[in-house]
Amino acid sequence: FHVVIWRGETIQAWYDAGYQDKEEYANFKQLLQAPAEDAKQILSDRFPVPRYIQTNAGGSQARFLTSRVNPSTTYSSNNAGFGGGPDNPSQLFTDDVSLKVFMEHLVRLAVQS
């Protein structure tokens, strides 16, 4: 499995501005360090060791995270999905199925038995 730390646009903008290095923003520095410390503990306790990913909104790994969290638009579907309509550039295509599709399939299997 994966351990992912994701920063939203606002937090990443504050990080890029260097607020964590300013003394009056010590709480922000702690806010940034807490998930990393939790991840270290999780990584040390688990076997097999999970994959560690740290990204931000629009970052290189953000696409991976979004496709895992909400795989609502697949290559074989035409629904609006996570990002909106088909003209939306933020729309992600994945081979994974959405929770809705999984649950529908599970219900079909349960009814057949």
mmCIF file of all heavy atoms in Angstrom, residues 33-64:
data_model
loop_
_atom_site.group_PDB
_atom_site.id
_atom_site.type_symbol
_atom_site.label_atom_id
_atom_site.label_comp_id
_atom_site.label_asym_id
_atom_site.label_seq_id
_atom_site.Cartn_x
_atom_site.Cartn_y
_atom_site.Cartn_z
ATOM 1 N N GLN A 33 5.479 19.303 9.846
ATOM 2 C CA GLN A 33 6.305 18.203 10.351
ATOM 3 C C GLN A 33 5.472 17.024 10.863
ATOM 4 O O GLN A 33 5.914 15.877 10.793
ATOM 5 C CB GLN A 33 7.231 18.695 11.461
ATOM 6 C CG GLN A 33 8.315 19.609 10.965
ATOM 7 C CD GLN A 33 9.135 20.209 12.110
ATOM 8 O OE1 GLN A 33 8.728 20.161 13.264
ATOM 9 N NE2 GLN A 33 10.282 20.776 11.767
ATOM 10 N N ALA A 34 4.284 17.282 11.366
ATOM 11 C CA ALA A 34 3.467 16.227 11.978
ATOM 12 C C ALA A 34 3.154 15.076 11.018
ATOM 13 O O ALA A 34 3.336 13.908 11.385
ATOM 14 C CB ALA A 34 2.191 16.822 12.561
ATOM 15 N N PRO A 35 2.691 15.334 9.797
ATOM 16 C CA PRO A 35 2.417 14.195 8.902
ATOM 17 C C PRO A 35 3.672 13.398 8.547
ATOM 18 O O PRO A 35 3.616 12.173 8.425
ATOM 19 C CB PRO A 35 1.829 14.843 7.643
ATOM 20 C CG PRO A 35 1.410 16.196 8.056
ATOM 21 C CD PRO A 35 2.262 16.591 9.198
ATOM 22 N N ALA A 36 4.807 14.076 8.402
ATOM 23 C CA ALA A 36 6.057 13.372 8.080
ATOM 24 C C ALA A 36 6.475 12.460 9.232
ATOM 25 O O ALA A 36 6.940 11.342 9.011
ATOM 26 C CB ALA A 36 7.155 14.375 7.759
ATOM 27 N N GLU A 37 6.300 12.927 10.473
ATOM 28 C CA GLU A 37 6.631 12.099 11.631
ATOM 29 C C GLU A 37 5.696 10.891 11.730
ATOM 30 O O GLU A 37 6.134 9.780 12.029
ATOM 31 C CB GLU A 37 6.568 12.933 12.902
ATOM 32 C CG GLU A 37 7.675 13.977 12.982
ATOM 33 C CD GLU A 37 7.486 14.956 14.122
ATOM 34 O OE1 GLU A 37 6.556 14.776 14.929
ATOM 35 O OE2 GLU A 37 8.271 15.918 14.192
ATOM 36 N N ASP A 38 4.412 11.109 11.464
ATOM 37 C CA ASP A 38 3.460 9.991 11.457
ATOM 38 C C ASP A 38 3.823 8.975 10.379
ATOM 39 O O ASP A 38 3.757 7.769 10.595
ATOM 40 C CB ASP A 38 2.039 10.494 11.223
ATOM 41 C CG ASP A 38 1.474 11.264 12.402
ATOM 42 O OD1 ASP A 38 2.055 11.158 13.509
ATOM 43 O OD2 ASP A 38 0.468 11.966 12.225
ATOM 44 N N ALA A 39 4.203 9.476 9.220
ATOM 45 C CA ALA A 39 4.582 8.590 8.118
ATOM 46 C C ALA A 39 5.815 7.767 8.476
ATOM 47 O O ALA A 39 5.874 6.578 8.153
ATOM 48 C CB ALA A 39 4.834 9.399 6.849
ATOM 49 N N LYS A 40 6.791 8.378 9.133
ATOM 50 C CA LYS A 40 7.987 7.635 9.540
ATOM 51 C C LYS A 40 7.621 6.474 10.457
ATOM 52 O O LYS A 40 8.162 5.375 10.322
ATOM 53 C CB LYS A 40 8.976 8.565 10.257
ATOM 54 C CG LYS A 40 9.735 9.472 9.342
ATOM 55 C CD LYS A 40 10.682 10.347 10.131
ATOM 56 C CE LYS A 40 11.305 11.414 9.263
ATOM 57 N NZ LYS A 40 12.156 12.334 10.021
ATOM 58 N N GLN A 41 6.714 6.717 11.376
ATOM 59 C CA GLN A 41 6.305 5.658 12.293
ATOM 60 C C GLN A 41 5.571 4.546 11.545
ATOM 61 O O GLN A 41 5.818 3.363 11.773
ATOM 62 C CB GLN A 41 5.416 6.210 13.396
ATOM 63 C CG GLN A 41 5.010 5.145 14.401
ATOM 64 C CD GLN A 41 4.199 5.709 15.538
ATOM 65 O OE1 GLN A 41 4.010 6.910 15.661
ATOM 66 N NE2 GLN A 41 3.713 4.828 16.385
ATOM 67 N N ILE A 42 4.693 4.918 10.639
ATOM 68 C CA ILE A 42 3.960 3.919 9.856
ATOM 69 C C ILE A 42 4.927 3.097 9.011
ATOM 70 O O ILE A 42 4.818 1.870 8.936
ATOM 71 C CB ILE A 42 2.901 4.594 8.969
ATOM 72 C CG1 ILE A 42 1.782 5.176 9.841
ATOM 73 C CG2 ILE A 42 2.328 3.626 7.944
ATOM 74 C CD1 ILE A 42 0.819 6.072 9.091
ATOM 75 N N LEU A 43 5.892 3.763 8.383
ATOM 76 C CA LEU A 43 6.849 3.068 7.537
ATOM 77 C C LEU A 43 7.722 2.100 8.334
ATOM 78 O O LEU A 43 8.098 1.046 7.836
ATOM 79 C CB LEU A 43 7.725 4.068 6.790
ATOM 80 C CG LEU A 43 7.012 4.906 5.727
ATOM 81 C CD1 LEU A 43 7.921 6.020 5.226
ATOM 82 C CD2 LEU A 43 6.557 4.044 4.576
ATOM 83 N N SER A 44 8.032 2.460 9.567
ATOM 84 C CA SER A 44 8.897 1.590 10.377
ATOM 85 C C SER A 44 8.148 0.387 10.939
ATOM 86 O O SER A 44 8.751 -0.651 11.197
ATOM 87 C CB SER A 44 9.532 2.385 11.517
ATOM 88 O OG SER A 44 8.544 2.786 12.448
ATOM 89 N N ASP A 45 6.826 0.509 11.113
ATOM 90 C CA ASP A 45 6.036 -0.561 11.730
ATOM 91 C C ASP A 45 5.456 -1.566 10.743
ATOM 92 O O ASP A 45 5.029 -2.640 11.141
ATOM 93 C CB ASP A 45 4.868 0.031 12.531
ATOM 94 C CG ASP A 45 5.351 0.801 13.749
ATOM 95 O OD1 ASP A 45 6.515 0.626 14.143
ATOM 96 O OD2 ASP A 45 4.550 1.578 14.304
ATOM 97 N N ARG A 46 5.409 -1.238 9.474
ATOM 98 C CA ARG A 46 4.713 -2.081 8.506
ATOM 99 C C ARG A 46 5.659 -2.966 7.715
ATOM 100 O O ARG A 46 6.767 -2.586 7.385
ATOM 101 C CB ARG A 46 3.931 -1.210 7.504
ATOM 102 C CG ARG A 46 2.919 -0.292 8.128
ATOM 103 C CD ARG A 46 1.699 -1.070 8.602
ATOM 104 N NE ARG A 46 0.817 -0.252 9.397
ATOM 105 C CZ ARG A 46 -0.329 0.233 8.981
ATOM 106 N NH1 ARG A 46 -0.744 -0.023 7.777
ATOM 107 N NH2 ARG A 46 -1.066 0.962 9.774
ATOM 108 N N PHE A 47 5.171 -4.165 7.425
ATOM 109 C CA PHE A 47 5.888 -5.044 6.521
ATOM 110 C C PHE A 47 4.864 -5.699 5.605
ATOM 111 O O PHE A 47 3.867 -6.236 6.104
ATOM 112 C CB PHE A 47 6.660 -6.127 7.272
ATOM 113 C CG PHE A 47 7.456 -6.984 6.337
ATOM 114 C CD1 PHE A 47 8.672 -6.536 5.851
ATOM 115 C CD2 PHE A 47 6.972 -8.210 5.905
ATOM 116 C CE1 PHE A 47 9.402 -7.315 4.964
ATOM 117 C CE2 PHE A 47 7.689 -8.987 5.025
ATOM 118 C CZ PHE A 47 8.916 -8.537 4.552
ATOM 119 N N PRO A 48 5.020 -5.646 4.341
ATOM 120 C CA PRO A 48 6.112 -5.014 3.610
ATOM 121 C C PRO A 48 6.028 -3.494 3.730
ATOM 122 O O PRO A 48 4.955 -2.942 3.986
ATOM 123 C CB PRO A 48 5.899 -5.451 2.169
ATOM 124 C CG PRO A 48 4.454 -5.811 2.082
ATOM 125 C CD PRO A 48 4.051 -6.273 3.446
ATOM 126 N N VAL A 49 7.147 -2.866 3.551
ATOM 127 C CA VAL A 49 7.226 -1.416 3.714
ATOM 128 C C VAL A 49 6.403 -0.743 2.616
ATOM 129 O O VAL A 49 6.583 -1.018 1.435
ATOM 130 C CB VAL A 49 8.695 -0.940 3.649
ATOM 131 C CG1 VAL A 49 8.783 0.566 3.739
ATOM 132 C CG2 VAL A 49 9.504 -1.593 4.751
ATOM 133 N N PRO A 50 5.486 0.140 3.012
ATOM 134 C CA PRO A 50 4.673 0.819 2.004
ATOM 135 C C PRO A 50 5.482 1.846 1.212
ATOM 136 O O PRO A 50 6.547 2.277 1.644
ATOM 137 C CB PRO A 50 3.584 1.517 2.821
ATOM 138 C CG PRO A 50 4.103 1.591 4.189
ATOM 139 C CD PRO A 50 5.105 0.498 4.363
ATOM 140 N N ARG A 51 4.954 2.216 0.070
ATOM 141 C CA ARG A 51 5.593 3.244 -0.747
ATOM 142 C C ARG A 51 5.253 4.606 -0.157
ATOM 143 O O ARG A 51 4.098 4.895 0.148
ATOM 144 C CB ARG A 51 5.068 3.146 -2.174
ATOM 145 C CG ARG A 51 5.693 4.137 -3.104
ATOM 146 C CD ARG A 51 5.239 3.901 -4.522
ATOM 147 N NE ARG A 51 5.734 4.974 -5.357
ATOM 148 C CZ ARG A 51 5.213 5.311 -6.500
ATOM 149 N NH1 ARG A 51 4.173 4.648 -6.976
ATOM 150 N NH2 ARG A 51 5.701 6.308 -7.190
ATOM 151 N N TYR A 52 6.267 5.465 0.006
ATOM 152 C CA TYR A 52 6.089 6.791 0.594
ATOM 153 C C TYR A 52 6.045 7.826 -0.530
ATOM 154 O O TYR A 52 6.941 7.884 -1.370
ATOM 155 C CB TYR A 52 7.247 7.092 1.552
ATOM 156 C CG TYR A 52 7.217 8.480 2.137
ATOM 157 C CD1 TYR A 52 6.298 8.811 3.115
ATOM 158 C CD2 TYR A 52 8.111 9.459 1.715
ATOM 159 C CE1 TYR A 52 6.276 10.077 3.662
ATOM 160 C CE2 TYR A 52 8.093 10.722 2.265
ATOM 161 C CZ TYR A 52 7.174 11.030 3.233
ATOM 162 O OH TYR A 52 7.140 12.287 3.773
ATOM 163 N N ILE A 53 4.989 8.631 -0.540
ATOM 164 C CA ILE A 53 4.823 9.667 -1.555
ATOM 165 C C ILE A 53 4.484 10.975 -0.862
ATOM 166 O O ILE A 53 3.578 11.015 -0.027
ATOM 167 C CB ILE A 53 3.689 9.306 -2.539
ATOM 168 C CG1 ILE A 53 3.996 7.989 -3.240
ATOM 169 C CG2 ILE A 53 3.461 10.422 -3.545
ATOM 170 C CD1 ILE A 53 2.844 7.439 -4.027
ATOM 171 N N GLN A 54 5.207 12.025 -1.213
ATOM 172 C CA GLN A 54 4.891 13.355 -0.710
ATOM 173 C C GLN A 54 4.709 14.264 -1.916
ATOM 174 O O GLN A 54 5.588 14.367 -2.774
ATOM 175 C CB GLN A 54 5.998 13.896 0.186
ATOM 176 C CG GLN A 54 5.656 15.238 0.792
ATOM 177 C CD GLN A 54 6.629 15.660 1.876
ATOM 178 O OE1 GLN A 54 7.481 14.887 2.286
ATOM 179 N NE2 GLN A 54 6.492 16.869 2.326
ATOM 180 N N THR A 55 3.542 14.904 -1.993
ATOM 181 C CA THR A 55 3.241 15.747 -3.146
ATOM 182 C C THR A 55 2.377 16.919 -2.728
ATOM 183 O O THR A 55 1.980 17.041 -1.572
ATOM 184 C CB THR A 55 2.545 14.918 -4.253
ATOM 185 O OG1 THR A 55 2.429 15.716 -5.424
ATOM 186 C CG2 THR A 55 1.181 14.442 -3.811
ATOM 187 N N ASN A 56 2.085 17.779 -3.678
ATOM 188 C CA ASN A 56 1.223 18.926 -3.443
ATOM 189 C C ASN A 56 0.235 19.038 -4.591
ATOM 190 O O ASN A 56 0.337 18.328 -5.583
ATOM 191 C CB ASN A 56 2.046 20.202 -3.295
ATOM 192 C CG ASN A 56 2.926 20.454 -4.497
ATOM 193 O OD1 ASN A 56 2.932 19.693 -5.451
ATOM 194 N ND2 ASN A 56 3.686 21.517 -4.452
ATOM 195 N N ALA A 57 -0.726 19.943 -4.444
ATOM 196 C CA ALA A 57 -1.708 20.154 -5.502
ATOM 197 C C ALA A 57 -0.986 20.571 -6.776
ATOM 198 O O ALA A 57 -0.203 21.513 -6.770
ATOM 199 C CB ALA A 57 -2.709 21.222 -5.084
ATOM 200 N N GLY A 58 -1.214 19.839 -7.836
ATOM 201 C CA GLY A 58 -0.553 20.147 -9.099
ATOM 202 C C GLY A 58 0.835 19.555 -9.218
ATOM 203 O O GLY A 58 1.506 19.736 -10.226
ATOM 204 N N GLY A 59 1.287 18.837 -8.202
ATOM 205 C CA GLY A 59 2.617 18.230 -8.219
ATOM 206 C C GLY A 59 2.654 16.986 -9.094
ATOM 207 O O GLY A 59 1.634 16.518 -9.600
ATOM 208 N N SER A 60 3.844 16.451 -9.251
ATOM 209 C CA SER A 60 4.013 15.311 -10.149
ATOM 210 C C SER A 60 3.266 14.067 -9.682
ATOM 211 O O SER A 60 2.818 13.264 -10.499
ATOM 212 C CB SER A 60 5.500 14.991 -10.304
ATOM 213 O OG SER A 60 6.043 14.607 -9.058
ATOM 214 N N GLN A 61 3.104 13.883 -8.385
ATOM 215 C CA GLN A 61 2.421 12.700 -7.868
ATOM 216 C C GLN A 61 0.942 12.948 -7.565
ATOM 217 O O GLN A 61 0.229 12.039 -7.149
ATOM 218 C CB GLN A 61 3.114 12.207 -6.601
ATOM 219 C CG GLN A 61 4.508 11.692 -6.833
ATOM 220 C CD GLN A 61 4.495 10.385 -7.600
ATOM 221 O OE1 GLN A 61 3.636 9.551 -7.415
ATOM 222 N NE2 GLN A 61 5.464 10.218 -8.475
ATOM 223 N N ALA A 62 0.460 14.178 -7.749
ATOM 224 C CA ALA A 62 -0.937 14.492 -7.450
ATOM 225 C C ALA A 62 -1.880 13.699 -8.338
ATOM 226 O O ALA A 62 -2.953 13.276 -7.901
ATOM 227 C CB ALA A 62 -1.200 15.981 -7.594
ATOM 228 N N ARG A 63 -1.500 13.458 -9.581
ATOM 229 C CA ARG A 63 -2.330 12.679 -10.489
ATOM 230 C C ARG A 63 -2.485 11.247 -9.961
ATOM 231 O O ARG A 63 -3.569 10.677 -9.994
ATOM 232 C CB ARG A 63 -1.708 12.671 -11.882
ATOM 233 C CG ARG A 63 -2.473 11.869 -12.881
ATOM 234 C CD ARG A 63 -1.745 11.873 -14.226
ATOM 235 N NE ARG A 63 -2.375 10.951 -15.129
ATOM 236 C CZ ARG A 63 -3.306 11.295 -16.005
ATOM 237 N NH1 ARG A 63 -3.691 12.538 -16.087
ATOM 238 N NH2 ARG A 63 -3.840 10.391 -16.784
ATOM 239 N N PHE A 64 -1.403 10.672 -9.459
ATOM 240 C CA PHE A 64 -1.447 9.334 -8.882
ATOM 241 C C PHE A 64 -2.436 9.302 -7.720
ATOM 242 O O PHE A 64 -3.284 8.411 -7.637
ATOM 243 C CB PHE A 64 -0.053 8.926 -8.409
ATOM 244 C CG PHE A 64 -0.057 7.738 -7.501
ATOM 245 C CD1 PHE A 64 -0.131 6.464 -8.017
ATOM 246 C CD2 PHE A 64 -0.007 7.903 -6.128
ATOM 247 C CE1 PHE A 64 -0.153 5.364 -7.187
ATOM 248 C CE2 PHE A 64 -0.027 6.809 -5.294
ATOM 249 C CZ PHE A 64 -0.099 5.543 -5.819
#
